[in-house]
Amino acid sequence: MIDLAGSERTKLTKVEGERLKEGCNINKSLLTLSNVICSLADSGKKKKYIPFRDSKLTFFLKDSLGGNSKTKLLANVSPK
């Protein structure tokens, strides 16, 4: 998993307070999104609990991720 909020650098950058909490919440939402995508991929046709309500991000994306819509994922990957 990629840490997009940069929490591995908190000691180096001396982030505190609201910024630190914000980074932690971003990481929680991304982890939950990863769990939802893995659950959807593993569930196939059988009914399985999908943790959409575990974060606001996944709750808002519920229809896009688990509904009848088509979803595309774009990634920008760089060697640096």
Side-chain angles (χ1 to χ4, degrees):
M1 170 163 268
I2 298 171
D3 182 11
L4 295 177
S7 63
E8 76 279 1
R9 296 185 308 258
T10 56
K11 287 183 182 177
L12 178 67
T13 58
K14 298 179 179 145
V15 174
E16 297 177 344
E18 287 298 313
R19 281 267 170 128
L20 181 60
K21 276 205 286 191
E22 185 178 295
C24 290
N25 288 333
I26 290 169
N27 282 338
K28 275 192 219 175
S29 290
L30 292 174
L31 178 62
T32 304
L33 179 61
S34 172
N35 291 338
V36 166
I37 291 171
C38 288
S39 295
L40 288 169
D42 291 342
S43 68
K45 296 287 181 187
K46 59 186 172 183
K47 296 279 183 175
K48 184 180 175 185
Y49 172 71
I50 310 295
F52 287 115
R53 292 182 176 244
D54 289 356
S55 81
K56 288 181 182 179
L57 175 67
T58 54
F59 184 73
F60 289 133
L61 293 175
K62 180 180 180 179
D63 291 333
S64 296
L65 294 171
N68 292 327
S69 63
K70 292 183 180 181
T71 304
K72 293 183 181 183
L73 176 66
L74 299 175
N76 185 5
V77 181
S78 172
K80 292 184 180 183

